[in-house]
Amino acid sequence: MTIDNITSSSCYSNQSVTFFYQHANKAIGGNWTTRDYLVLGLGLPLSFIVVLANLLVMAAILMNRRFHFPIYYLLGNMAAADLFAGLAYTNLILNTGPWTATLTKKQWYIRGALIDISLTASVANLLAVAVERHQTIITMQLHSTMTKRRVVLLIISIWAVGIVMGLVPSLFWNCECDLSDCSTVAPLYSRRFLIFWALLNLLTFFVMLGMYSHIFCHVKRQGRHTSQHVSEARQQTVINLMKTISMVLGAFVICWTPGLIVLLLDGLQGKNGNANKYEKYCLVIAECNSLVNPIIYSLRDAEMRKTFKWILCCFCRHGGCQPRETLSTEMDSPLKEKSLSYKLEDSVLWKNPDRDSKDDKWTDSVPYRLSSCLVRSSDPPHLPGRVQTHSKDANICA
């Protein structure tokens, strides 16, 4: 796109948002309707809950040393993307309905960019989780050998890609100079951009589904070639984590696929696709996805649930619960690591993900699930390193 084309009479860069909505036959109501009030009344509380729930997930991963591994840092980044989505939905709700007519084009592009960034960051993060799980499990590890520095760079790259994809429509890939290419769902967006964006995300979904299918088949095959005791312990730990991640991926695909199909339909057929009829419903389903992940973590992960209770207890008692150091000590009992190393000495099956570098060393040498499964309360209390938790096991806030 050249400067001459931008300034020529065929461009409509000086027109308002209302002009593009009228061209796309997408009405902007002058008065508040029952649906507008319903969107505002239900959307804002839901967005608030989404933000708080994902803040809880991020705090749990930060405060519990058992989660200081690449896979959990990536899941924490997924929670950050969901939190960002909650903020993006809040901004969308506060600038929709009759308020849309008051937006400048810059404000309208920002409103759409926030949604684009949150979706792209979520998809890129899920892809990174899939690659991390594939690499670690195929090489018979529980946790990746990536250093913290590499994890940070990966997370920065994920958000960089999201920001770039969010800025693309406002910078050059729009329909301000080609009204025939305007979308009906997002009247300033190019239909070709929507086709590209929807196909890219759908293709990424299929790639991730293929990777997870390969992982499950590999774990099943490996189970036939190992001893029964080690195989059961190994498969239980790996499959539990894989099921949790697969549920996160499945929920994301279920919630976002209808919206992507609507965008693809709009991009291919334009006004003839009647995509506006389904737009609001798809947006509500997509917003619900940002609340699903914290629920999955609570139902599937006992350690995450325990940490949630501890954090909420701190707020309820105004800091009157046990110190965080005490919680970390109970979770990191030296006996657990010794018991695990005694029972799983086969270095072919398990590789130590610890790093030698002081700056990049991961906190724990074993996953919390497996250590908690192998250590029983019947262990003699006189063994060195045993932590006496007593009633704290029953009530973490005691």
Side-chain angles (χ1 to χ4, degrees), residues 99-330:
W99 287 329
T100 304
T102 64
L103 297 177
T104 64
K105 283 199 302 182
K106 181 178 180 180
Q107 292 172 331
W108 189 93
Y109 278 125
I110 291 175
R111 189 187 74 171
L114 294 178
I115 301 294
D116 296 344
I117 292 172
S118 65
L119 173 59
T120 305
S122 297
V123 172
N125 201 87
L126 282 171
L127 181 60
V129 169
V131 172
E132 190 272 348
R133 285 293 86 193
H134 189 272
Q135 185 269 331
T136 53
I137 293 178
I138 295 300
T139 56
M140 297 182 183
Q141 300 177 24
L142 283 180
H143 292 289
S144 173
T145 56
M146 282 194 302
T147 63
K148 288 185 178 181
R149 187 178 293 106
R150 289 184 180 180
V151 174
V152 171
L153 289 176
L154 179 59
I155 291 175
I156 292 175
S157 301
I158 289 171
W159 285 101
V161 171
I163 292 173
V164 169
M165 292 300 295
L167 293 178
V168 163
S170 61
L171 294 179
F172 59 90
W173 207 344
N174 51 57
C175 66
E176 292 184 14
C177 294
D178 186 6
L179 293 182
S180 62
D181 191 36
C182 286
S183 162
T184 58
V185 173
L188 274 76
Y189 277 19
S190 168
R191 288 164 53 193
R192 287 172 292 177
F193 171 74
L194 294 184
I195 294 174
F196 164 77
W197 197 55
L199 287 177
L200 180 63
N201 286 294
L202 290 172
L203 178 62
T204 306
F205 289 169
F206 285 115
V207 170
M208 288 187 289
L209 289 173
M211 294 180 70
Y212 280 114
S213 299
H214 181 247
I215 290 173
F216 277 112
C217 292
H218 176 79
V219 172
K220 188 175 181 180
R221 286 196 307 268
Q222 287 298 115
R224 302 193 187 105
H225 302 291
T226 56
S227 63
Q228 183 178 359
H229 171 74
V230 177
S231 176
E232 289 179 358
R234 178 179 187 273
Q235 289 193 32
Q236 186 63 33
T237 304
V238 173
I239 292 178
N240 281 345
L241 184 56
M242 285 300 305
K243 283 182 178 180
T244 301
I245 298 173
S246 299
M247 290 176 67
V248 172
L249 174 62
F252 189 88
V253 171
I254 291 173
C255 292
W256 275 102
T257 298
L260 293 175
I261 292 177
V262 167
L263 292 180
L264 186 61
L265 181 66
D266 182 35
L268 293 174
Q269 298 188 4
K271 297 178 182 179
N272 296 327
N274 296 321
N276 281 325
K277 293 182 179 180
Y278 315 102
E279 172 197 4
K280 299 296 182 182
Y281 303 105
C282 293
L283 187 62
V284 171
I285 296 174
E287 183 178 4
C288 291
N289 176 75
S290 298
L291 186 60
V292 168
N293 290 344
I295 297 175
I296 293 175
Y297 299 146
S298 298
L299 296 177
R300 291 286 310 165
D301 197 317
E303 188 76 10
M304 185 75 75
R305 186 165 57 248
K306 181 179 179 182
T307 310
F308 286 167
K309 291 179 181 179
W310 180 77
I311 295 174
L312 294 175
C313 187
C314 287
F315 282 102
C316 294
R317 299 192 178 187
H318 304 287
C321 57
Q322 61 175 324
R324 192 179 73 183
E325 291 76 13
T326 305
L327 181 65
S328 298
T329 302
E330 291 178 358

Side-chain angles (χ1 to χ4, degrees), residues 66 303 306 327-344 364-377 379 383-387 389 393:
R66 287 290 178 183
E303 188 76 10
K306 181 179 179 182
L327 181 65
S328 298
T329 302
E330 291 178 358
M331 292 178 179
D332 297 326
S333 170
L335 178 60
K336 294 181 179 181
E337 296 186 4
K338 291 182 180 180
S339 176
L340 180 63
S341 62
Y342 173 77
K343 295 189 178 184
L344 294 179
D364 298 298
S365 61
V366 292
Y368 71 91
R369 284 190 183 277
L370 199 52
S371 61
S372 61
C373 291
L374 295 177
V375 179
R376 297 291 182 261
S377 60
D379 293 336
L383 288 178
R386 180 172 175 81
V387 177
T389 56
D393 292 335

